[in-house]
Amino acid sequence: MMFKYLNDYYNYMVKVKIDNVSIEAVDDSLLIDVILSNSIYIPHICYYRPLPPLRTCDLCVVEVNGKLVRACETKVEEGMVVNTKSAMAKEARSKALSATLRNHMLY
């Protein structure tokens, strides 16, 4: 995205809170990109940035405004409150990993 004036760039910025840290992000960015680019770790297997989200592994699940969402398909919005470490998100990721491992043969 190219901006003619610096002011145009700031019009596309939104403020989100991730794990109690206020972060500015480009509006319409994928949540997983914002999380990872701010050195916050969340597991993910099926997400690969050059490709569209596959939405199959559910390991990138986070809590947004009290609801579980996939970070790979959720776009940031102004005022969004994200918790990557909530008990609800951790439990959902644990179940997703168990389901993945249950369906794959390991050596």
Side-chain angles (χ1 to χ4, degrees):
M1 188 179 304
M2 294 295 294
F3 300 101
K4 188 172 182 180
Y5 301 103
L6 186 59
N7 214 21
D8 293 339
Y9 172 78
Y10 289 110
N11 290 336
Y12 288 95
M13 300 300 285
V14 295
K15 291 183 181 177
V16 297
K17 189 175 264 192
I18 302 175
D19 295 336
N20 293 320
V21 176
S22 292
I23 295 172
E24 280 195 344
V26 176
D27 192 19
D28 220 29
S29 297
L30 287 176
L31 183 55
I32 194 168
D33 289 332
V34 175
I35 291 170
L36 296 175
S37 68
N38 281 279
S39 300
I40 301 169
Y41 176 76
I42 57 168
H44 55 285
I45 293 175
C46 68
Y47 179 70
Y48 180 59
R49 192 170 191 200
L51 299 175
L54 295 175
R55 302 180 304 264
T56 57
C57 76
D58 287 342
L59 287 179
C60 67
V61 168
V62 295
E63 187 178 336
V64 175
N65 300 332
K67 296 179 181 178
L68 290 177
V69 299
R70 291 182 186 111
C72 69
E73 69 178 347
T74 303
K75 299 201 176 192
V76 294
E77 297 174 359
E78 181 70 37
M80 184 180 262
V81 177
V82 181
N83 190 338
T84 66
K85 298 176 176 114
S86 73
M88 192 165 56
K90 287 181 178 181
E91 183 180 346
R93 289 194 296 256
S94 179
K95 287 179 180 178
L97 181 59
S98 293
T100 299
L101 294 176
R102 185 173 43 249
N103 293 318
H104 290 80
M105 295 181 70
L106 299 176
Y107 298 99

